[in-house]
Amino acid sequence: MKRGYHHGNLRQALVEAALELIADQGPTGFTLSEAAKTADVTPAAVYRHFAGRDDLIAEVARQGYDIFAALMEFAYNNGQPTALAAFEATGRAYLAFARKYPGHYMAMFESGLSLQAHPDLAIVAQKARAVLEQAAEKLSQHLPVGKRPPSSMFSAHIWAMSHGVVELYMRGAPGAKSPFPPEDLLEAGIGIYLRGLGLLRPDT
């Protein structure tokens, strides 16, 4: 039985269908025809909303970055209760997002989409990165200007560390089980890294 989508929500129905397919088959493992079938619409209906599969995946990724940025902002909580706690909270938010929104996560980070080719996607992706950069900036404010590491650099390193924990220890790869919870791995890694930059005292 057709789901009887109204004109206004067919686009979102196709996004939801793509999320199902991405979670099952990966971001490049399905066709637009399969997305149409999953949404119970004709293939022609898809092209009224999306130019091709990359366009559909880009919309999934855009919505994912919207959710991701909101979660990061909530976790950061304007730098409260401390700059360090807020910074660590953004790392945990990264892991929480990957766990709760696997389809969005894969569309964002595993689809090979070019941000330059999708300006709307690039804008919302930068919004998410800006939260972590703001957290990094606040964490280094106590250092003299000449001795502060670039916040864009060390926030990018923490982003990469978070991504690595997700890919290696949360994605179910055979043999990739860790004896430590992903959150503990990330928190320890962040602490070691920040001490190495001189951003934390040895006893923090």
Side-chain angles (χ1 to χ4, degrees):
M1 184 176 69
K2 299 295 182 184
R3 300 183 187 179
Y5 293 115
H6 298 292
H7 180 75
N9 65 2
L10 174 56
R11 181 179 175 87
Q12 190 58 32
L14 291 165
V15 169
E16 297 297 328
L19 281 167
E20 289 181 34
L21 292 165
I22 290 169
D24 290 341
Q25 304 174 33
T28 60
F30 70 96
T31 64
L32 274 181
S33 293
E34 287 178 290
K37 183 178 179 181
T38 301
D40 280 340
V41 299
T42 65
V46 181
Y47 289 99
R48 289 200 291 270
H49 297 275
F50 299 102
R53 186 181 64 182
D54 280 359
D55 196 27
L56 174 56
I57 294 173
E59 176 58 18
V60 174
R62 188 196 65 77
Q63 292 185 18
Y65 272 115
D66 264 338
I67 297 167
F68 182 50
L71 285 175
M72 294 286 276
E73 287 176 352
F74 180 81
Y76 179 56
N77 192 29
N78 291 316
Q80 301 300 319
T82 67
L84 175 59
F87 190 80
E88 290 177 335
T90 62
R92 289 193 298 273
Y94 191 109
L95 302 189
F97 173 80
R99 184 178 283 118
K100 187 171 182 180
Y101 299 95
H104 290 97
Y105 177 90
M106 285 188 272
M108 292 157 60
F109 300 120
E110 298 176 7
S111 63
L113 286 177
S114 166
L115 294 182
Q116 288 73 25
H118 301 277
D120 291 349
L121 182 57
I123 289 169
V124 71
Q126 177 54 38
K127 182 181 176 184
R129 282 194 295 270
V131 177
L132 190 54
E133 289 181 13
Q134 180 184 7
E137 182 73 30
K138 188 164 184 177
L139 192 61
S140 61
Q141 280 183 344
H142 66 285
L143 294 178
V145 174
K147 294 186 178 180
R148 292 179 194 169
S151 57
S152 59
M153 179 270 291
F154 79 83
S155 65
H157 284 170
I158 297 301
W159 187 304
M161 191 185 303
S162 305
H163 190 76
V165 169
V166 169
E167 291 297 324
L168 292 174
Y169 301 113
M170 284 178 57
R171 304 284 288 140
K177 290 295 183 182
S178 165
F180 307 102
E183 287 77 10
D184 290 355
L185 281 175
L186 182 59
E187 185 173 346
I190 289 174
I192 292 167
Y193 177 76
L194 294 180
R195 286 187 183 92
L197 289 179
L199 292 168
L200 296 182
R201 294 187 300 272
D203 59 346
T204 300

